[in-house]
Amino acid sequence: MNIDVAKRIPLITLVGPPNSGKTTLFNYLSGKNFKTVNYPGSTVEYYTCKIQDKYNIDANLLDSPGIISLNPNSPDEEVTVNSLYNHPEFGVPDLVIATADASQLSRHLLLTKQLLTAGFRVLLVLTMRDLLEKKGLKVNTDKLSKLLRCDVVIVNGRTGKGIDELITTIERNLKEIDTKNHSEPYSISDQLSKENLLNLYSEIESLTRAVIEPIDFPDLEKVNKNIKILNPVLQEPSLQPDLFTLKLDKVLLHRKYGLLFFFLIMTTMFTSIFWLADPFMTLVDDFFSYLAQTSSAFLGNTWYSHLISDGLISGTGSVLVFLPQILILFLILGLLEDTGYLARGAMMIDKPLSKIGLNGKSFVPMLSGFACAIPAMLAARTISNKRERLLTIFIIPLMSCSARLPVYVLLVAFLTPSDKPWFGGILLASIYVFSIISSIIVASLINKFSKKLIRTEDNSSFILELPAYRIPKLKVVLKNSYINALHYIKRAGPIILVLSLIIWFLTYMPNHSPQIDTAGLNQQEIIQLEKSERLATSYAAELGKSIQPIMTPLGMDWRIGVSLIAAFAAREVFVSSLALIFRVTDDENIQSSLLTAMQNAKNQQTGEPLFTTATVIGLVVFFVFALQCISTIAVSRKETGGWRIPMLQLIIFTSTAYLFTLITVNGLKLLGIN
């Protein structure tokens, strides 16, 4: 009897190639009682849980990122493979459940064969049998079990059929472990030569031919006549692609129209994130504004009242306001991935993105960045290559997110003549075009220095398996969207909240009860003037005055500096900060009043107009490049596993913004545009 096994709770590890149904199986076995943690010493995430109580199996279940084989192709895959041999927390698995797509058996059996060769106790679960049956074929599981010398179970991921047999098989395997000695698995790295792999593939192909059987010969012949084989070498019926997939790919992967469909689908997704989430975000924002106002009215005009209403409640609101976007993003990404299209989209856009060191999977996060950098960085999790994932996260803040729009609208309104409103539209469009071109150039430059900036070697090539199209499993997609949203709240939320409180402290203290002349003012005007005076005498203002030497070369004074500091809470705060500093109290038409205040404002050092064409265009340039968002920094820290990359982003992008603003303002002045 193995004493070690008897003393501890058995560990079952789930492994399998991407898109092999591993996550679906994990959800069936775990229910909702699982948690996500980082692999010790890395940012690789995996799930752990106990098997659901109703199955009466006392065992830990571990799910890690998908791998194609025991030959790691990236640092992340290496971590996953190493965890199989000796997980730092759980040790060596007592049982490995390997998933394999029955319709892709010749490729997916490689991992199973390697696991068996390495000495793991393996239970093979075949999924997606329905796709194989559409070709008129089936797998002889008894024969496959004998040839592999391990148990084989078929599970239908859509209906759950086969789970009971799987549970019975797991129970039997665990009992056998209790009663028989088993050896520790050993490394097969010395067997991973090209020749050995070719021999292994040859053996798997023979095995596949032996276990794939036709369901009905006459129908099979009919189907075979109609199937068009992409690769003429693949003559085995089991290797032939799905007929429906072939037909759809003819359209969606068309050399010319394929890109058009791709951009249409991506635009729809982007628009959905941008517009569909907007009313829900407004609801969340309104709810927290109501809470803040109610608590302020209840607690009175005191510093602790402002701490709770403006600091805690508004800070919590700034965390939760992104939830609708995150939910919609992951819902759409899940649907696209489950249907099999996401892999095809990544393949189509891979070539142009490879020019700047990225791959096709980077496109969706970058596109999402135009809505908001927060969900965009979370979407980068789909990129398996660590270096490319970190590089994508690095450049996402350069995408012009929706939070920049209020700033752009104000600055464009300042530049637009009142009798030429169409000019504003052209200016706004030009800003976005400029933002995209600049982002590509900066991304190319960052890619050149990525070895020093990212510090992650990753020699993997871009390998994508195109799964057959299938109907997405809505329940699984919804559950994964919920889990991702929960992770955002749990991990990024506390950091965003703390940083929001710091910003509140800097903009509120020390003169939290300013003395103002209230004669002839209504209550609303008194509150606005108090806020204005408080901000003008705050630590943030002191900080703004201390950076006056930095603002002077830009033709700006400390008041704009304070607004830029306050905008770290969120870019759109820049507008409200300017309104406070210039004592704009007209709530009915704040933009018009603010524009008038800006046109009349004088530089306190030079006495010249503060806002000119040159300085306003300079501010536009600054907001195109600067990382003015605490939430983005917090999420970047969480997704990259440390403060190094977010700090580099902050320093590099803010320095770039300052340099280009300096060149823009002074260059325009030299040209006589001021």
Side-chain angles (χ1 to χ4, degrees):
M1 177 178 176
N2 189 320
I3 297 172
D4 290 337
V5 172
K7 281 183 177 176
R8 64 182 180 86
I9 299 172
L11 172 67
I12 301 171
T13 297
L14 264 171
V15 294
N19 299 314
S20 64
K22 183 167 62 67
T23 303
T24 305
L25 190 62
F26 182 78
N27 289 336
Y28 272 121
L29 294 175
S30 65
K32 296 179 181 178
N33 301 318
F34 57 88
K35 60 178 181 178
T36 302
V37 289
N38 280 349
Y39 188 88
S42 77
T43 58
V44 178
E45 284 188 336
Y46 62 91
Y47 299 97
T48 63
C49 69
K50 289 285 188 70
I51 292 183
Q52 288 191 70
D53 292 340
K54 67 178 184 180
Y55 295 132
N56 294 318
I57 296 178
D58 188 18
N60 286 316
L61 191 64
L62 187 148
D63 183 26
S64 51
I67 51 173
I68 296 170
S69 72
L70 292 182
N71 309 45
N73 200 35
S74 69
D76 283 7
E77 288 184 12
E78 192 171 352
V79 168
T80 305
V81 172
N82 289 340
S83 77
L84 268 171
Y85 283 98
N86 194 7
H87 191 283
E89 186 179 346
F90 298 101
V92 179
D94 302 284
L95 177 65
V96 175
I97 297 180
T99 55
D101 181 344
S103 65
Q104 310 286 339
L105 210 52
S106 60
R107 290 200 297 277
H108 284 194
L109 275 186
L110 173 65
L111 178 62
T112 306
K113 285 286 290 180
Q114 288 184 327
L115 287 166
L116 289 165
T117 303
F120 288 99
R121 188 181 186 92
V122 179
L123 193 169
L124 175 63
V125 175
L126 297 180
T127 58
M128 303 181 204
R129 181 175 64 174
D130 51 334
L131 294 177
L132 188 66
E133 288 177 346
K134 282 171 67 179
K135 302 177 188 176
L137 301 169
K138 65 177 182 180
V139 179
N140 186 325
T141 52
D142 292 337
K143 192 184 286 186
L144 182 61
S145 177
K146 286 177 184 172
L147 290 171
L148 288 175
R149 297 180 183 175
C150 73
D151 288 317
V152 179
V153 176
I154 292 180
V155 172
N156 187 321
R158 206 172 304 281
T159 63
K161 187 180 177 183
I163 288 292
D164 290 340
E165 185 186 353
L166 174 64
I167 292 297
T168 305
T169 312
I170 291 174
E171 274 183 316
R172 179 162 50 75
N173 272 271
L174 293 180
K175 282 178 183 175
E176 287 176 6
I177 293 170
D178 284 340
T179 55
K180 295 179 181 178
N181 289 326
H182 68 287
S183 57
E184 295 293 311
Y186 60 89
S187 172
I188 59 168
S189 56
D190 57 337
Q191 302 176 25
L192 300 180
S193 66
K194 182 180 176 182
E195 187 179 344
N196 280 334
L197 280 176
L198 288 174
N199 289 335
L200 189 54
Y201 268 118
S202 176
E203 187 183 335
I204 290 171
E205 282 191 15
S206 301
L207 188 149
T208 306
R209 277 195 290 270
V211 299
I212 298 288
E213 299 173 349
I215 295 174
D216 186 272
F217 281 104
D219 284 346
L220 177 64
E221 288 176 1
K222 185 179 178 182
V223 170
N224 281 340
K225 285 179 183 176
N226 293 322
I227 288 180
K228 292 179 181 177
I229 302 170
L230 287 173
N231 186 345
V233 176
L234 304 180
Q235 296 297 324
E236 293 297 327
S238 63
L239 300 179
Q240 293 174 2
D242 177 65
L243 189 60
F244 175 72
T245 297
L246 275 179
K247 286 181 178 175
L248 208 52
D249 274 348
K250 271 190 172 181
V251 179
L252 295 179
L253 295 184
H254 191 275
R255 185 173 296 177
K256 294 179 181 176
Y257 308 124
L259 272 177
L260 179 65
F261 281 112
F262 172 74
F263 281 110
L264 277 175
I265 292 169
M266 290 299 120
T267 304
T268 304
M269 186 185 86
F270 167 62
T271 308
S272 301
I273 296 168
F274 195 83
W275 293 108
L276 201 60
D278 189 58
F280 297 103
M281 293 177 78
T282 304
L283 272 178
V284 175
D285 201 32
D286 289 347
F287 174 71
F288 280 96
S289 295
Y290 170 77
L291 274 185
Q293 288 171 7
T294 305
S295 67
S296 180
F298 180 73
L299 296 171
N301 190 19
T302 58
W303 70 267
Y304 54 86
S305 168
H306 292 292
L307 170 64
I308 293 172
S309 58
D310 297 338
L312 283 174
I313 295 178
S314 296
T316 307
S318 67
V319 175
L320 297 179
V321 75
F322 294 110
L323 262 186
Q325 283 190 336
I326 290 169
L327 278 168
I328 291 171
L329 172 74
F330 279 107
L331 188 65
I332 296 173
L333 278 181
L335 290 172
L336 286 177
E337 187 169 17
D338 233 28
T339 55
Y341 183 76
L342 199 60
R344 287 164 172 82
M347 186 195 75
M348 295 189 71
I349 206 71
D350 177 62
K351 191 173 180 180
L353 284 182
S354 65
K355 305 290 183 188
I356 55 173
L358 302 173
N359 72 38
K361 288 185 176 178
S362 305
F363 184 76
V364 172
M366 288 170 66
L367 190 68
S368 305
F370 281 95
C372 177
I374 310 298
M377 285 185 172
L378 297 176
R381 292 176 181 179
T382 56
I383 305 169
S384 56
N385 183 302
K386 186 178 179 182
R387 192 191 71 81
E388 289 163 348
R389 183 169 69 247
L390 294 180
L391 185 57
T392 303
I393 290 173
F394 204 102
I395 64 172
I396 278 175
L398 291 173
M399 305 298 116
S400 272
C401 67
S402 57
R404 286 176 168 104
L405 195 56
V407 181
Y408 290 157
V409 168
L410 175 70
L411 299 178
V412 165
F414 183 89
L415 296 170
T416 305
S418 57
D419 58 336
K420 297 176 182 174
W422 52 268
F423 186 66
I426 294 174
L427 276 180
L428 195 58
S430 303
I431 290 172
Y432 275 87
V433 172
F434 173 71
S435 165
I436 293 168
I437 295 171
S438 305
S439 303
I440 293 170
I441 294 170
V442 174
S444 305
L445 291 172
I446 289 171
N447 179 47
K448 284 189 181 297
F449 300 100
S450 62
K451 284 186 178 177
K452 290 182 180 176
L453 295 174
I454 306 296
R455 285 186 184 175
T456 298
E457 292 294 334
D458 212 334
N459 297 320
S460 64
S461 54
F462 181 58
I463 301 173
L464 262 181
E465 183 175 307
L466 298 182
Y469 289 107
R470 52 182 180 263
I471 298 171
K473 295 179 277 291
L474 190 59
K475 187 179 175 183
V476 174
V477 172
L478 286 172
K479 185 178 282 185
N480 288 339
S481 301
Y482 165 75
I483 291 167
N484 281 310
L486 205 60
H487 290 171
Y488 163 72
I489 295 172
K490 283 183 177 177
R491 299 197 179 187
I495 301 173
I496 295 172
L497 192 58
V498 169
L499 294 177
S500 298
L501 286 173
I502 291 172
I503 290 289
W504 173 85
F505 179 80
L506 290 175
T507 53
Y508 192 85
M509 294 293 184
N511 188 17
H512 55 80
S513 300
Q515 299 299 314
I516 58 169
D517 183 6
T518 58
L521 301 178
N522 60 36
Q523 187 61 30
Q524 186 62 33
E525 288 171 334
I526 292 171
I527 292 172
Q528 285 297 106
L529 278 179
E530 278 184 347
K531 284 183 178 178
S532 174
E533 185 63 22
R534 191 180 293 126
L535 182 63
T537 53
S538 67
Y539 290 126
E542 291 300 317
L543 203 57
K545 289 172 184 174
S546 70
I547 62 170
Q548 176 65 50
I550 300 173
M551 302 303 294
T552 300
L554 304 179
M556 306 173 192
D557 65 16
W558 67 272
R559 290 172 292 178
I560 297 180
V562 173
S563 298
L564 292 177
I565 292 170
F568 269 103
R571 290 180 177 94
E572 60 268 36
V573 171
F574 178 78
V575 178
S576 56
S577 296
L578 279 183
L580 284 175
I581 285 176
F582 290 104
R583 300 174 187 266
V584 175
T585 56
D586 185 0
D587 280 347
E588 296 298 322
N589 198 343
I590 191 168
Q591 181 168 318
S592 175
S593 301
L594 182 54
L595 284 172
T596 303
M598 288 168 65
Q599 285 159 354
N600 296 328
K602 302 289 183 185
N603 189 315
Q604 290 185 346
Q605 280 194 322
T606 63
E608 296 176 351
L610 180 61
F611 292 95
T612 63
T613 302
T615 56
V616 170
I617 292 176
L619 280 172
V620 170
V621 172
F622 185 87
F623 274 94
V624 165
F625 292 102
L627 207 175
Q628 294 279 99
C629 180
I630 279 178
S631 304
T632 301
I633 296 170
V635 173
S636 176
R637 186 260 169 201
K638 186 259 164 184
E639 293 299 304
T640 58
W643 282 106
R644 186 176 172 278
I645 288 181
M647 287 300 105
L648 279 174
Q649 288 173 305
L650 182 64
I651 293 167
I652 291 174
F653 293 151
T654 306
S655 303
T656 305
Y658 181 83
L659 180 64
F660 285 166
T661 304
L662 182 69
I663 294 170
T664 303
V665 172
N666 292 287
L668 288 173
K669 282 182 179 178
L670 280 175
L671 293 172
I673 303 171
N674 191 23

